[in-house]
Amino acid sequence: MANVVDIVTDLVNPILDELTFELVDIEYVKEGKNWFLRVFIDKEGGIDINECALVSEKLGEKLDTIEPDPIPQAYFLEVSSPGAERPLKKEADYEQAIGEYINISFYQAVNGEKQYQGFLEKLDKETLTLRVKIKTQEKTMEFERKNIAKARLAIQF
């Protein structure tokens, strides 16, 4: 599966560079009996459905020309925006999220919790600092980045 993601990354990056779009993430997953190749893209100001369709068309054409076929089984190609709760994958994603409300989840519970939400205050190579609200009190907490399984922007209610 990693090989499929690598191949698709190499194919889609030139398309996105030409259009000045950003690759956010690629996933190749089986859900039920169907396979899905999902490509998440973005740009300054957000991506619209027509731009997703354009990238889907161009990427689909490229995928159809590769011999041998890198994805021999049938699959659904989906190109979309990462949405309001965009994942934080690259270092630049984290840097752009400073001051934003985010959700982080851990490989193992930290202080009895598997996830926290709060404002990203600062980060460095080893740690990430969140300002969280626990019951009625705000608290600043520092987490080791190596323990973070996933991070994404979050919507505050």
Side-chain angles (χ1 to χ4, degrees), residues 5 10-11 23 28 33-34 46-47 53 68 74 81 84 87 100 104 114 130-131 136 141-143 150 153 157:
V5 171
D10 290 343
L11 291 174
L23 177 62
Y28 182 59
K33 60 182 178 180
N34 296 315
I47 208 89
S81 159
E100 299 290 334
I104 55 175
K114 283 284 282 180
L130 279 187
R131 183 171 28 96
T136 59
M141 299 179 74
E142 191 171 276
F143 303 97
K150 291 183 179 181
L153 295 177
F157 293 100

Side-chain angles (χ1 to χ4, degrees), residues 24-148:
V24 175
D25 198 13
I26 295 176
E27 60 182 31
Y28 182 59
V29 294
K30 187 173 186 181
E31 294 178 1
K33 60 182 178 180
N34 296 315
W35 283 91
F36 292 87
L37 174 59
R38 295 189 176 112
V39 180
F40 298 95
I41 61 174
D42 208 357
K43 71 171 187 185
E44 186 73 34
I47 208 89
D48 68 35
I49 194 164
N50 293 325
E51 293 163 327
C52 291
L54 176 63
V55 172
S56 178
E57 183 180 317
K58 288 178 178 263
L59 178 58
E61 288 172 1
K62 280 191 171 188
L63 284 166
D64 290 343
T65 64
I66 297 177
E67 290 294 332
D69 191 342
I71 312 172
Q73 63 270 36
Y75 63 93
F76 294 95
L77 173 60
E78 297 176 353
V79 177
S80 67
S81 159
E85 294 190 337
R86 174 188 171 135
L88 304 177
K89 297 276 190 170
K90 301 174 273 202
E91 192 63 24
D93 296 338
Y94 281 93
E95 290 170 5
Q96 288 176 343
I98 292 175
E100 299 290 334
Y101 194 74
I102 69 168
N103 175 288
I104 55 175
S105 58
F106 305 99
Y107 295 109
Q108 296 181 359
V110 174
N111 299 326
E113 300 291 332
K114 283 284 282 180
Q115 64 180 350
Y116 283 92
Q117 287 191 0
F119 289 94
L120 178 57
E121 295 283 305
K122 62 181 177 178
L123 72 141
D124 59 37
K125 290 189 187 305
E126 287 84 33
T127 60
L128 176 146
T129 304
L130 279 187
R131 183 171 28 96
V132 300
K133 192 171 189 177
I134 300 175
K135 296 188 181 180
T136 59
Q137 292 192 319
E138 280 197 1
K139 183 177 179 181
T140 301
M141 299 179 74
E142 191 171 276
F143 303 97
E144 290 187 49
R145 290 179 71 177
K146 67 181 180 185
N147 296 330
I148 298 172

